[in-house]
Amino acid sequence: MPSKGPTATERFINGIIPENPLYRNLLGLCPALAVTNGMKPALTMAGATAFVLICANVITSLLRNVLKPHLRILVFTLTIATFVTIADRFLQAFMYDMSKILGPYVPLIIVNCMIISRCEVCASKQSVGTAFSDAVGVSLGFCLGLASIATVREILGSGTWMELRVLPEAWPNWGIMVLPPGAFLTLGLLLGGWNWYNARREAKAS
Amino acid sequence: MEYIASIVLISVGAALINNFVLHYFVGICPFVGVSRRVEMAFGMGCAVTFVISIAAFLSWTFTYFVTRPGAPVTTWIWGMVNPGSEAVVDLSILNYIIYIFVIASSVQFVEMYLRKFFPALFKAFGIFLPLITTNCAILFGCLEIMKHITGVSSPAEMWGLDKALVFAVSGGIGFAIAITMMAGIREELDLCDVPKPLEGAGITLLVAGIMAMAFMGFTGVDRGLEALLLK
Amino acid sequence: MDLMTTVTIAVAAGTMLVLAVAMSLVLGWANRAFHVEVDPRIDAINDALPAANCGGCGYVGCGEYAEAIVHEGADIDLCPVGGPATAADVAEIMGVDVGDAAPKRPVVHCSAEYPQRLGRHEYAGEMTCTSANLIAGVQGCIYGCLGFGDCVMACEYDAIHIVNGLAKVDYDKCIGCSACARACPRNIITMIPFKTERVMTVACSNKDFGKDVKNVCETGCIGCKSCEKVTKGLFHLENNLPILDYDHLADDYDFGDALKKCPMESLVWVGKPSAEDIAETADEVLPDVVEADFKTTVDKTEWRG
């Protein structure tokens, strides 16, 4: 593997759309389905994940030369668990209502495949600056993914966006959208749309 | 009778009404990834059930005896340092770290044990075990048990080890049911003309949505069971 | 800091320490107590193998194959993805000589496209070869390619396609994992060692003789033994089908006479096209994959017949 790989800026830009963790790599599906019935929970979750990912990446990158290979995953996981505890307590202290809505999904950030994957693939091999920009890019991509699903579900399910009314009161709220089936169907269709758009773009390019 | 009713309700609740995959959205990654063939899906379901019961046992023990406010171990230590004080030591900040540590270690242990004593079983679902360490479903099981120990209003409502294990095993069985059903459907889908953009994860999620709708039909079963058993 | 905070921090640190030490002890003990004697050669072979886990060697994964080599004495040159380089590495680890390992590639033993198959009827069942193979009357020849594409579905490398009803291998993409050979319910795809880039094959699986074959196919082998006579035994007929002796075949053997003598065009070159073939089609613009282009009369959908 080449020692340089993509530069820091390239990693940052890559993480947002081309290598979007949700749509392209299908990582972090659990929160994408669970907390996207409104924009506010989705953005809070994205923010918490961003905090954990950035801190974990930085710490992993700082420790990359002292870690024995067979202890790697355990150390990543413990670091992530620590930062998730911090994030969870922060939310409980300063955003109590939101923390109740997000419920058990904040601690589930610990096992979000996306974070462990970024630590393993990027942070454990790159310098702190590169790891940092990679984490920021991927977090923005994840936020974009969550926001897209949440927009669809909230507008169709309650007629609001960010709890501001966008559809008229007469709109019959699509109850299914805020329930579990709606999450699966929305993500499935958006994923199909993403793949179709990418295929068309590649067909035009070639 | 009340006891049996509560056990049955917890069990049916975890397996069907609030199915881990279709209602709580945990364990989606293996659900989408491993559900292509029925044998593999069933193996994954069994492996998850196995690990979740071990993890539930260990995490309940630690939460009940060490980390909850007023736990026996911490109270005893506090009693030695500052006897006669009414304050309680609250170590619940360590919960998440302990759970993930316990899950990772127990999976490692189980893998070694299986490899030595049950090589046939190891060949069957040994490859899934490292995957399960970061499976949301296991951690979610532990978190729900934690919620029913530290988040209840009175000590009488706390879940004992029995209820915690029933919850965990039923949750695992519910996961196994969902993933095996999905595998059966996907095997049929292989022969169908799926639109190209939806191939793979897209159609799986759409089918999961329809399955979730079907499982929503179980809502209210708990009320009926309660009425039946507590007549 | 008051006493409570101190005690909390101390007990927390103590708990984590105790937990870490306990787990390390338990896992360390387990590592020794549950130790499975693993021959170090297995790990070495595992590293040498390409880790594609394609199943082409006939074992479930690279790990299985490594174990089979060490414990059961499996052949060392079964890996199609790694090829002769891997076979040489494995031979070195096991301390044996590597033979002349030529890569194995699939050959479809059928040469009849839709127009040449006689006795075809409309089939409205499940569009897979496995299902169509179970009922009578789908096509006249009960031995040959059905064309519903079970092999195409099995191939993960896009190396086999159904062209006008006949399975055709794309030898540029094929890595030799033999998934197509295992998928074919009529077993008409076999894996043959490709010592050269172009290989002569018998493109027919029909075990009947003479008129029975002509009634069901325009290019099927009728078992006339012309090839056996012309090549003086290089082809050897069994069950009315010629079998080519690849082990005793010289790389530059001239099949011109045999090709001329065969009345049914059942002998076919496969592999890289010859210089003449390339020159012939040099000015044609060929599409990448030729699709069957007829539609049903019922609606505008394409019928995967």
Side-chain angles (χ1 to χ4, degrees):
Chain A
M1 193 191 130
S3 61
K4 285 295 165 194
T7 65
T9 345
E10 278 171 17
R11 281 178 193 273
F12 170 73
I13 299 184
N14 261 349
I16 304 182
I17 296 196
E19 293 282 317
N20 188 295
L22 190 57
Y23 284 120
R24 179 94 164 76
N25 299 332
L26 294 173
L27 300 169
L29 289 174
C30 301
L33 293 166
V35 302
T36 46
N37 43 12
M39 272 302 280
K40 285 206 173 147
L43 291 179
T44 317
M45 173 61 83
T49 315
F51 167 71
V52 174
L53 179 56
I54 294 174
C55 296
N57 254 19
V58 167
I59 300 279
T60 307
S61 182
L62 288 171
L63 287 178
R64 72 184 184 282
N65 291 319
V66 295
L67 274 184
K68 289 230 180 81
H70 58 272
L71 285 180
R72 263 186 7 258
I73 303 280
L74 198 59
V75 171
F76 296 160
T77 322
L78 289 175
T79 320
I80 296 171
T82 317
F83 285 112
V84 168
T85 313
I86 298 175
D88 186 39
R89 292 290 161 138
F90 178 86
L91 281 178
Q92 278 176 5
F94 295 110
M95 298 169 79
Y96 186 67
D97 295 325
M98 192 48 68
S99 125
K100 273 276 169 265
I101 295 179
L102 290 178
Y105 295 103
V106 177
L108 283 179
I109 299 178
I110 302 177
V111 285
N112 190 335
C113 330
M114 185 178 76
I115 305 187
I116 296 215
S117 146
R118 285 341 283 173
C119 279
E120 165 79 28
V121 165
C122 171
S124 63
K125 302 186 174 94
Q126 305 291 341
S127 66
V128 180
T130 319
F132 179 80
S133 64
D134 181 73
V136 175
V138 168
S139 309
L140 281 178
F142 188 62
C143 179
L144 208 65
L146 286 190
S148 57
I149 305 174
T151 307
V152 173
R153 284 182 76 190
E154 193 179 355
I155 294 185
L156 291 177
S158 358
T160 62
W161 192 76
M162 290 279 223
E163 291 175 15
L164 305 165
R165 197 121 265 273
V166 285
L167 288 178
E169 285 285 342
W171 172 259
N173 293 331
W174 290 12
I176 196 96
M177 275 296 156
V178 289
L179 290 171
F184 285 112
L185 295 171
T186 313
L187 183 57
L189 289 171
L190 283 176
L191 197 57
W194 166 273
N195 287 337
W196 173 79
Y197 177 71
N198 268 346
R200 253 186 57 164
R201 219 165 41 113
E202 273 170 32
K204 281 213 184 110
S206 65
Chain B
M1 200 56 207
E2 260 197 38
Y3 178 71
I4 296 186
S6 64
I7 295 282
V8 168
L9 285 171
I10 293 177
S11 170
V12 172
L16 295 175
I17 307 175
N18 295 329
N19 185 289
F20 274 20
V21 180
L22 299 172
H23 184 264
Y24 281 128
F25 307 111
V26 284
I28 298 283
C29 299
F31 185 67
V32 171
V34 183
S35 61
R36 300 203 74 174
R37 282 180 22 232
V38 176
E39 309 90 52
M40 283 184 69
F42 186 67
M44 182 63 160
C46 289
V48 166
T49 311
F50 189 46
V51 175
I52 208 177
S53 8
I54 299 179
F57 172 74
L58 289 171
S59 61
W60 182 90
T61 314
F62 272 102
T63 315
Y64 188 80
F65 287 110
V66 181
T67 62
R68 69 184 167 108
V73 170
T74 50
T75 316
W76 174 71
I77 295 180
W78 180 246
M80 290 203 303
V81 173
N82 188 352
S85 162
E86 284 292 325
V88 287
V89 180
D90 181 11
L91 278 189
S92 45
I93 196 125
L94 285 185
N95 271 338
Y96 304 153
I97 302 180
I98 289 186
Y99 294 159
I100 200 75
F101 199 73
V102 152
I103 293 172
S105 316
S106 55
V107 167
Q108 186 107 333
F109 188 83
V110 163
E111 200 181 333
M112 284 194 261
Y113 183 78
L114 275 186
R115 194 172 183 206
K116 173 89 174 178
F117 293 114
F118 297 101
L121 237 89
F122 180 72
K123 282 213 162 83
F125 65 65
I127 42 169
F128 298 129
L129 289 175
L131 267 171
I132 302 179
T133 313
T134 53
N135 187 348
C136 325
I138 317 280
L139 188 60
F140 179 77
C142 298
L143 291 173
E144 281 292 297
I145 294 175
M146 173 188 91
K147 198 170 80 172
H148 286 273
I149 298 180
T150 57
V152 287
S153 32
S154 72
E157 282 179 25
M158 259 193 238
W159 272 7
L161 187 58
D162 50 355
K163 291 191 180 160
L165 280 179
V166 165
F167 175 78
V169 173
S170 312
I173 293 178
F175 177 83
I177 293 177
I179 200 177
T180 316
M181 278 170 66
M182 177 56 89
I185 296 178
R186 278 188 91 173
E187 282 191 356
E188 293 288 318
L189 274 183
D190 267 346
L191 302 169
C192 297
D193 213 359
V194 178
K196 198 114 182 39
L198 284 176
E199 265 173 20
I203 195 74
T204 311
L205 288 166
L206 290 175
V207 171
I210 302 177
M211 275 172 72
M213 271 195 264
F215 269 66
M216 269 171 65
F218 284 116
T219 337
V221 165
D222 53 344
R223 216 124 354 133
L225 272 179
E226 216 177 321
L228 180 69
L229 292 168
L230 293 178
K231 233 182 352 201
Chain C
M1 279 199 299
D2 66 327
L3 188 59
M4 171 59 93
T5 320
T6 326
V7 172
T8 310
I9 296 179
V11 179
T15 314
M16 287 312 300
L17 198 64
V18 166
L19 197 58
V21 169
M23 278 303 170
S24 325
L25 285 177
V26 169
L27 285 177
W29 168 82
N31 205 10
R32 265 172 294 120
F34 298 155
H35 186 64
V36 176
E37 266 310 321
V38 172
D39 197 321
R41 290 181 298 178
I42 295 186
D43 282 328
I45 294 179
N46 230 338
D47 285 329
L49 291 173
N53 286 313
C54 69
C57 50
Y59 298 94
V60 173
C62 297
E64 286 281 323
Y65 181 41
E67 275 183 30
I69 292 180
V70 174
H71 290 311
E72 296 163 24
D75 287 335
I76 53 157
D77 58 354
L78 294 178
C79 178
V81 180
T86 306
D89 287 338
V90 174
E92 207 182 301
I93 296 171
M94 292 297 293
V96 295
D97 271 329
V98 59
D100 238 322
K104 289 207 175 146
R105 292 289 180 264
V107 168
V108 179
H109 293 285
C110 182
S111 58
E113 302 184 1
Y114 281 138
Q116 289 136 348
R117 289 183 200 162
L118 308 172
R120 289 184 65 222
H121 297 98
E122 187 176 321
Y123 171 66
E126 198 172 292
M127 294 293 177
T128 63
C129 304
T130 328
S131 307
N133 193 27
L134 296 170
I135 64 176
V138 179
Q139 67 191 27
C141 178
I142 61 169
Y143 303 94
C145 177
L146 283 161
F148 291 107
D150 279 13
C151 49
V152 178
M153 282 200 281
C155 180
E156 294 183 18
Y157 300 93
D158 194 29
I160 188 167
H161 307 102
I162 303 291
V163 178
N164 207 7
L166 177 61
K168 296 214 166 121
V169 180
D170 181 349
Y171 291 96
D172 286 329
K173 292 194 185 155
C174 177
I175 60 146
C177 74
S178 71
C180 55
R182 280 174 278 149
C184 179
R186 289 191 164 180
N187 294 315
I188 62 170
I189 305 183
T190 59
M191 303 301 287
I192 290 181
F194 268 43
K195 292 197 190 122
T196 53
E197 282 183 329
R198 280 186 96 214
V199 171
M200 168 59 68
T201 67
V202 178
C204 181
S205 309
N206 196 318
K207 300 190 176 69
D208 293 336
F209 182 76
K211 206 125 183 243
D212 294 331
V213 180
K214 281 196 175 167
N215 283 340
V216 296
C217 181
E218 292 178 6
T219 66
C221 170
I222 53 172
C224 67
K225 297 200 185 172
S226 302
C227 51
E228 189 176 350
K229 284 188 213 130
V230 165
T231 59
K232 299 195 183 45
L234 203 55
F235 284 99
H236 151 75
L237 284 219
E238 249 180 54
N239 286 326
N240 300 313
L241 275 177
I243 299 180
L244 183 50
D245 188 0
Y246 289 102
D247 292 327
H248 291 107
L249 177 61
D251 285 353
D252 54 359
Y253 187 85
D254 181 16
F255 280 102
D257 286 335
L259 283 169
K260 268 188 255 159
K261 281 288 182 182
C262 176
M264 300 295 287
E265 294 177 8
S266 303
L267 297 177
V268 168
W269 284 108
V270 292
K272 198 171 137 131
S274 71
E276 296 96 26
D277 291 335
I278 296 182
E280 243 178 65
T281 55
D283 49 0
E284 272 179 42
V285 176
L286 295 170
D288 277 295
V289 173
V290 180
E291 311 266 6
D293 64 348
F294 54 90
K295 308 198 190 297
T296 65
T297 51
V298 177
D299 54 33
K300 297 271 182 303
T301 55
E302 282 187 28
W303 185 47
R304 271 204 315 146

